[in-house]
Amino acid sequence: MTSDLTKLRNIGISAHIDSGKTTLTERILFYTDRIRAIHDVKGKDGVGATMDSMELERERGITIASAATHTEWNGYKINIIDTPGHVDFTIEVERSLRVLDGAVLVLCAVAGVQSQSITVDRQMRRYNVPRIAFVNKSDRSGANPFKVTADLCDKLKHNAVLMQIPIGLEADHQGVVDLVTMKALYFDGDNGETIREGAIPAELQAQAEEKREEMLEAVSMFSEELMEAVLEGDPTEEMIHTAVRTGTLSRDLTPVYIGSAYKNKGVQPLLNAIIRYLPDPTEVENEAMDLEKGEEAFPIEVDSDRPMISLAFKLEEGRFGQLTYVRIYQGSLNKGDTIYNTRTKKEVRVGRLVRMHAADMEDIDGAGAGDIVALFGVDCASGDTFTKNRLRVSMSSMHVPEPVIHLSIKVVDRKTEANVAKALARFTKEDPTFRTKVDEESSQTVISGMGELHLEVYVERMKREYGAVVETGQPQVAYREAISRRAEFNYTHKKQTGGSGQYGRIEGYIEPLETGEFEFLNEIRGGSIPQEYIPSVEKGFLSMMKKGKLIGFPVTGLRVALQDGQTHAVDSSDNAFQAAARGAFAETYHKAKPQILEPIMRVSVEGPNEFQGAFVKTVMQRRGLIVGTTEEEGFVRVDSDVPLAEMFGYSTDLRSASQGKAEYTMEFSRYAPVPGDASDDLIKKFNEDSKAKA
Amino acid sequence: MHRKEVNERSPMRVLEHSIHGGLGRGNIGVVVARPGLGKTAFLVGIAMDDLLRGRKVLHVSLEHSVEKVRDYYDDIYAEIAHKRELEDVWKVRVEMERNRRINCYPPERFSVDKLRESVEFMKEHGEFEPVAIVIDGWDFGAKTTEDIQRIRSIAEELKAEVWMSATTHREAKRNERGVPEPVAHLEGELDVILSMAHDGSSVHVGLHKDHDSDDVTDMQLALDPTTMLLVRKR
């Protein structure tokens, strides 16, 4: 509890698919003595690496879900947060980036910096995460850590500096030369667990000296003391470490390490670098949002004596039951505490608090600020904030992006229906960008998310984890409708058919609302409509927003101002005013020039130079807009904005246009109006479909 | 406010007025300043002015990524839209984006030949012919009059204006017009030369060369440090 925070590291290991992230994580856990045997990711023994808890991940060789594993190295505590590697899982990636203080960027020594690394790096930059790099797979044919380091500088604009040079590459990869101590390191024993120091091999002496000089030159920018010592010719190891740390923490320097996790080379020096150069929790600034003051910044102090604030960043249904991973930002969290969920405004009791190790779980009594632990059996959603003393702050914004794509699903085997329901309930809790509902008209279950692949993975998970096979329909883009100009309304709802009648007149205007979905202004003066009916008017307008009148998609960005009206002593009622609002909306909507909005994706294609023309063509054919191009040595990247509706089947087209040599990333950018022709087509199709149904 | 009006009130018109009707097609202008004074923002401001008048712009950056450059445009656009209550914010933005291309190169991979190549590429593959080209981050130190002449011939063929930024430093030598190196030795080849310098609270924009005119009086223009927009000096 009163543990030394300077001896705690919360780190992520982030990488392009197939750079060997899982193997590296697994080796780290092996050397830190938490697991007994080494398994390979796609191993013959079928056990798989411990971090890859999900069946699906094992099959694909990628890691999708994040979890935190606790381990120790040389008296330091390390929480390893597993970050998902795919961009379609933006919110999951971003949430795990929030909770970590530093990261290891794993790069493949052969493939170097790929487009995926660029995306992941961009996200880390956004969250100001200090990084060290590990050039993995140095035993593979074609391995070139020097080129990868140059790539880091050119493509990712890092100030990357080699801290080691390899002793042999490809099949001949034996170890590394540490440029700080100027010693050769070899990794002996069956699993490379014994480190043998030796003299630098004669043939590498000159190169080692040259690279050490380069390293010292770059590093001494961060310490005057070191700069002077370098000039004098007597820099100490301690001085170098301090300077590298300063540069890394300010994110102006990326120290680069070399090895091959698979061949058990270079992992322990990387661990030393993690504890030496990456920040402890007190060195990272974090802010919460004050919910009492419109999400204004609320400063956090990494102090175990202050009121507790923590973020639930991951839910996991593991071998041990329902677990909620939380990062404690401020204060301390103890067994038996009553904590407050600031989203649901409910209090829950902490029954059990645990720390997850790679293979087992340890019950603990409490944990302090900066730490990462897991709670048992707490009902909450991913992204929820827990506090003590009912403190109304949140660690993440309450605004979650709306899904951009829908997919209808149908259970194949009726017996698995309950499992589907269970799976959907869980996924929606884990991932706020994943939604599910039952369509009122077709009574089909519809799932929604941030992209085709996002939904595909959940469909797969249903099959793998819940044994539920579903059939899917055609993916459907989540269009919106929005008005583009102000229009006035003056509408009277009147019904006089025996018995009590209905009467309500309302006057005002609707206009586009630039940020947000709906706003209702009550500008009634002098009580022309009694207070009790005003919510009825608002309710009436809101009910019309579920289905726009152009193509039946939800209306967004609407401001309604109610300015005047009239009531009838007997015939006015809640219902009458709701009906008046519905009538007013229907009458005014077209006057306000509604338009269809569609999700626009930021698409980035990368591949050999000679395909630049082909890339541009694939984008232009899809109503895409070229934003720009970046030329690198032999490579070109084309950045563009493309409507999601045009992106189906893109990977196939890109593959054939580039002989399989290109890759692309896609992430949601914004909603934008559908241009005239495409908009007319959508309206026509909607009208035809409606007619067919009727 | 409508887009046209926004444009008429732009301090960019003051700049144009000061340099006698603007840079002019086929001509080359340079803005020179020490690092960190906002050269990129200044160039984006010039490009934005063209974009808001429906003209096509090619932005070449040897310093920033596509994303970074785009952020510059987005910020400045948001600022203009907000400040002058632009109508049809969405539509104008999409139009503007259609008329803009951002090409980024590592400095060692960029050359005049490269520029020609990409201009031809855009013409062929995207039916895109810019009438304004901004080149940000080109190292003037090693450039010769011949390099500038070759850029001029591209500008003349396209009938485009070319604006470039140049970085200078504190101890740089200045010629009799007050133009610092590394631009001074190329002065004869350039049509307009502007400079940016700190004067206490803001960044002052000065005029050193205006085509063949001797009248290079103070334009009373500055770059607002928070919005990075060109403003009239009070």
Side-chain angles (χ1 to χ4, degrees):
Chain A
M1 276 292 298
T2 49
S3 63
D4 185 358
L5 280 177
T6 60
K7 295 206 161 182
L8 175 63
R9 297 288 177 274
N10 294 312
I11 62 147
I13 297 176
S14 189
H16 190 281
I17 292 163
D18 283 339
S19 312
K21 178 174 78 173
T22 310
T23 311
L24 175 64
T25 309
E26 214 248 0
R27 291 305 193 269
I28 287 179
L29 295 173
F30 173 77
Y31 294 125
T32 53
D33 219 16
R34 289 289 171 180
I35 46 176
R36 277 178 204 93
I38 287 180
H39 306 288
D40 294 314
V41 178
K42 294 177 182 173
K44 295 158 204 87
D45 53 6
V47 182
T50 40
M51 289 293 279
D52 255 0
S53 49
M54 268 191 259
E55 193 69 37
L56 166 68
E57 296 182 343
R58 207 171 294 176
E59 188 175 89
R60 291 197 175 176
I62 57 170
T63 311
I64 299 166
S66 69
T69 309
H70 182 84
T71 191
E72 277 167 32
W73 179 251
N74 286 352
Y76 283 74
K77 292 175 174 174
I78 305 175
N79 289 311
I80 303 173
I81 297 111
D82 196 16
T83 55
H86 205 283
V87 275
D88 248 45
F89 298 85
T90 318
I91 205 140
E92 239 190 316
V93 177
E94 301 212 351
R95 208 179 289 131
S96 56
L97 289 178
R98 287 263 341 234
V99 301
L100 49 85
D101 300 324
V104 177
L105 185 62
V106 187
L107 298 158
C108 170
V110 184
V113 173
Q114 292 149 290
S115 64
Q116 194 83 60
S117 328
I118 296 171
T119 314
V120 171
D121 191 69
R122 192 160 63 198
Q123 281 164 334
M124 288 208 204
R125 215 170 276 243
R126 205 181 294 158
Y127 284 91
N128 297 329
V129 181
R131 285 148 284 184
I132 54 186
F134 183 68
V135 182
N136 195 20
K137 299 196 183 181
S138 295
D139 60 307
R140 291 280 184 91
S141 109
N144 186 351
F146 301 103
K147 186 187 168 294
V148 177
T149 308
D151 264 14
L152 265 172
C153 297
D154 294 345
K155 292 195 186 173
L156 300 183
K157 309 290 176 214
H158 279 235
N159 180 16
V161 165
L162 277 169
M163 301 299 291
Q164 303 171 329
I165 57 167
I167 302 174
L169 282 171
E170 306 185 338
D172 190 34
H173 181 52
Q174 302 160 37
V176 294
V177 174
D178 182 321
L179 298 176
V180 178
T181 59
M182 288 302 264
K183 292 231 169 74
L185 301 176
Y186 301 95
F187 304 88
D188 293 346
D190 289 344
N191 298 310
E193 64 272 33
T194 318
I195 298 176
R196 173 166 54 87
E197 276 191 4
I200 300 174
E203 69 277 13
L204 289 176
Q205 187 68 37
Q207 190 191 28
E209 278 167 20
E210 181 201 326
K211 292 289 171 193
R212 174 179 159 95
E213 210 151 292
E214 281 178 21
M215 182 270 287
L216 286 176
E217 194 187 324
V219 170
S220 56
M221 298 306 289
F222 303 100
S223 154
E224 275 180 29
E225 187 195 17
L226 177 63
M227 195 179 279
E228 274 166 34
V230 170
L231 291 173
E232 307 265 310
D234 61 349
T236 65
E237 286 176 25
E238 209 38 56
M239 285 179 202
I240 302 175
H241 290 321
T242 309
V244 174
R245 182 154 219 269
T246 308
T248 309
L249 292 195
S250 64
R251 302 179 305 281
D252 293 316
L253 184 78
T254 307
V256 181
Y257 289 80
I258 296 168
S260 162
Y262 180 66
K263 288 282 163 72
N264 309 315
K265 305 242 184 294
V267 178
Q268 300 95 325
L270 176 68
L271 274 162
N272 291 334
I274 289 171
I275 60 178
R276 253 183 213 138
Y277 307 136
L278 290 179
D280 70 58
T282 63
E283 290 169 305
V284 178
E285 265 181 48
N286 277 295
E287 267 177 1
M289 280 172 260
D290 195 330
L291 297 176
E292 305 281 359
K293 294 180 189 160
E295 302 201 348
E296 204 174 272
F298 181 94
I300 278 180
E301 280 169 51
V302 190
D303 179 348
S304 293
D305 295 329
R306 291 178 62 86
M308 189 274 296
I309 301 173
S310 58
L311 170 72
F313 65 93
K314 176 73 192 169
L315 307 185
E316 203 176 69
E317 194 149 8
R319 289 155 290 174
F320 309 103
Q322 165 84 43
L323 275 175
T324 306
Y325 289 86
V326 298
R327 159 137 190 182
I328 307 164
Y329 284 91
Q330 175 178 292
S332 54
L333 184 59
N334 301 303
K335 197 170 146 180
D337 280 352
T338 299
I339 55 176
Y340 174 69
N341 183 329
T342 61
R343 181 182 59 92
T344 60
K345 299 179 187 157
K346 279 186 188 143
E347 286 188 320
V348 282
R349 205 177 146 273
V350 179
R352 248 179 110 187
L353 205 58
V354 297
R355 221 187 262 298
M356 297 305 294
H357 299 288
D360 52 10
M361 171 177 87
E362 174 197 354
D363 272 277
I364 51 171
D365 292 328
D371 213 345
I372 290 174
V373 292
L375 306 174
F376 246 108
V378 168
D379 186 35
C380 70
S382 224
D384 285 358
T385 300
F386 286 111
T387 62
K388 246 183 242 175
N389 309 343
R390 303 182 73 96
L391 189 62
R392 293 264 296 140
V393 300
S394 177
M395 287 309 299
S396 55
S397 175
M398 298 289 173
H399 305 295
V400 171
E402 286 294 315
V404 296
I405 188 165
H406 304 306
L407 191 66
S408 67
I409 56 169
K410 215 166 98 193
V411 184
V412 173
D413 184 351
R414 284 209 148 278
K415 275 179 278 179
T416 60
E417 213 157 289
N419 283 3
V420 171
K422 228 160 104 188
L424 292 178
R426 219 182 109 60
F427 298 159
T428 47
K429 262 192 182 178
E430 264 178 26
D431 177 355
T433 59
F434 178 80
R435 314 271 176 92
T436 171
K437 65 165 188 186
V438 175
D439 186 86
E440 280 169 25
E441 281 167 23
S442 63
S443 63
Q444 263 182 335
T445 301
V446 177
I447 57 175
S448 313
M450 300 311 292
E452 227 178 336
L453 184 67
H454 185 204
L455 297 183
E456 261 171 34
V457 167
Y458 282 118
V459 168
E460 279 286 307
R461 277 184 65 184
M462 269 186 243
K463 191 164 103 189
R464 302 274 156 189
E465 293 169 40
Y466 294 85
V469 180
V470 294
E471 259 173 28
T472 58
Q474 281 294 317
Q476 168 80 64
V477 173
Y479 292 103
R480 304 282 181 77
E481 296 183 19
I483 57 168
S484 65
R485 66 172 55 175
R486 179 180 157 136
E488 260 105 54
F489 60 81
N490 182 354
Y491 187 85
T492 309
H493 174 74
K494 205 162 141 189
K495 230 174 186 175
Q496 217 84 60
T497 42
S500 67
Q502 289 193 13
Y503 184 87
R505 185 177 74 82
I506 53 172
E507 209 179 314
Y509 63 89
I510 59 174
E511 67 177 7
L513 177 68
E514 258 152 48
T515 46
E517 300 206 352
F518 181 72
E519 201 177 285
F520 184 80
L521 304 178
N522 176 11
E523 296 177 358
I524 296 276
R525 305 245 184 275
S528 52
I529 300 177
Q531 204 57 39
E532 56 178 310
Y533 296 137
I534 289 173
S536 317
V537 178
E538 178 171 359
K539 211 165 148 195
F541 275 104
L542 263 175
S543 72
M544 296 300 279
M545 289 180 65
K546 283 184 198 145
K547 255 184 164 140
K549 300 204 157 290
L550 289 178
I551 56 166
F553 275 86
V555 177
T556 185
L558 180 75
R559 179 186 284 127
V560 178
L562 179 62
Q563 294 174 307
D564 202 0
Q566 221 175 344
T567 47
H568 184 279
V570 183
D571 292 347
S572 281
S573 64
D574 171 33
N575 274 337
F577 274 97
Q578 280 196 44
R582 288 197 299 270
F585 181 86
E587 199 182 75
T588 327
Y589 192 60
H590 283 282
K591 279 197 278 180
K593 295 267 181 240
Q595 50 191 358
I596 304 170
L597 306 181
E598 62 180 342
I600 304 289
M601 310 303 279
R602 196 161 282 191
V603 177
S604 182
V605 193
E606 190 180 279
N609 258 333
E610 66 259 36
F611 296 113
Q612 189 177 350
F615 296 165
V616 169
K617 208 169 137 199
T618 62
V619 168
M620 304 274 273
Q621 281 167 344
R622 296 182 146 71
R623 286 199 285 126
L625 186 136
I626 307 283
V627 175
T629 56
T630 309
E631 278 189 39
E632 308 270 356
E633 191 66 48
F635 263 80
V636 64
R637 194 170 87 235
V638 176
D639 289 305
S640 59
D641 283 354
V642 187
L644 176 64
E646 308 284 332
M647 283 302 288
F648 297 118
Y650 185 67
S651 39
T652 318
D653 283 9
L654 182 65
R655 211 175 301 131
S656 62
S658 68
Q659 299 161 15
K661 287 179 189 155
E663 39 184 323
Y664 79 101
T665 60
M666 172 165 105
E667 88 188 77
F668 171 68
S669 166
R670 62 193 153 127
Y671 269 92
V674 178
D677 287 354
S679 169
D680 293 345
D681 288 348
L682 284 170
I683 293 170
K684 204 171 137 206
K685 187 169 177 296
F686 173 71
N687 289 336
E688 276 165 12
D689 288 354
S690 315
K691 233 180 254 164
K693 266 183 216 159
Chain B
M1 192 192 282
H2 288 289
R3 194 174 72 177
K4 190 149 175 284
E5 259 176 85
V6 166
N7 242 278
E8 276 157 11
R9 287 173 45 171
S10 163
M12 211 56 81
R13 298 290 81 72
V14 179
L15 174 67
E16 265 179 10
H17 185 74
S18 306
I19 55 179
H20 296 98
L23 180 58
R25 298 188 162 200
N27 288 344
I28 303 174
V30 170
V31 56
V32 53
R34 299 217 317 253
L37 288 185
K39 286 185 292 289
T40 302
F42 181 82
L43 290 182
V44 169
I46 288 185
M48 185 63 82
D49 185 64
D50 278 305
L51 290 169
L52 286 174
R53 290 197 271 176
R55 297 178 185 167
K56 288 191 166 65
V57 174
L58 167 64
H59 184 120
V60 175
S61 179
L62 314 185
E63 213 170 317
H64 302 295
S65 63
V66 170
E67 191 171 358
K68 186 81 200 279
V69 175
R70 182 187 185 144
D71 287 346
Y72 265 102
Y73 278 90
D74 286 351
D75 287 352
I76 288 182
Y77 180 70
E79 198 60 52
I80 292 176
H82 173 73
K83 219 171 166 171
R84 311 199 188 133
E85 292 171 15
L86 199 63
E87 280 180 10
D88 275 337
V89 178
W90 269 347
K91 220 175 109 203
V92 176
R93 180 174 157 161
V94 170
E95 269 173 43
M96 183 195 90
E97 289 182 340
R98 286 209 176 274
N99 284 332
R100 182 195 67 201
R101 286 294 162 81
I102 303 165
N103 282 10
C104 298
Y105 308 86
E108 70 279 4
R109 288 189 56 82
F110 183 74
S111 61
V112 182
D113 288 335
K114 194 47 136 193
L115 178 65
R116 178 171 289 280
E117 196 183 291
S118 59
V119 163
E120 272 159 20
F121 178 88
M122 283 188 295
K123 193 172 161 185
E124 187 189 331
H125 290 273
E127 284 144 25
F128 189 89
E129 286 183 67
V131 297
I133 300 176
V134 301
I135 303 173
D136 190 20
W138 207 37
D139 179 8
F140 272 71
K143 298 300 176 289
T144 60
T145 51
E146 195 206 339
D147 289 319
I148 305 291
Q149 281 160 6
R150 290 174 59 213
I151 288 193
R152 180 181 303 280
S153 67
I154 295 177
E156 282 168 353
E157 283 163 40
L158 284 170
K159 297 192 177 57
E161 294 184 350
V162 177
W163 277 101
M164 296 194 266
S165 67
T167 304
T168 182
H169 54 92
R170 196 191 297 265
E171 290 87 21
K173 264 197 223 145
R174 289 171 182 269
N175 68 10
E176 65 281 6
R177 280 183 191 264
V179 180
E181 283 296 356
V183 179
H185 73 283
L186 298 168
E187 193 207 291
E189 298 300 323
L190 302 168
D191 301 288
V192 171
I193 300 175
L194 302 173
S195 71
M196 295 165 71
H198 253 298
D199 63 350
S201 58
S202 61
V203 173
H204 174 81
V205 180
L207 177 62
H208 295 275
K209 182 176 180 183
D210 173 13
H211 304 95
D212 299 324
S213 164
D214 289 330
D215 176 22
V216 285
T217 47
D218 188 12
M219 302 182 293
Q220 299 292 322
L221 283 175
L223 202 65
D224 184 310
T226 49
T227 62
M228 298 307 255
L229 289 172
L230 200 58
V231 291
R232 280 170 231 230
K233 266 189 150 179
R234 270 169 291 171

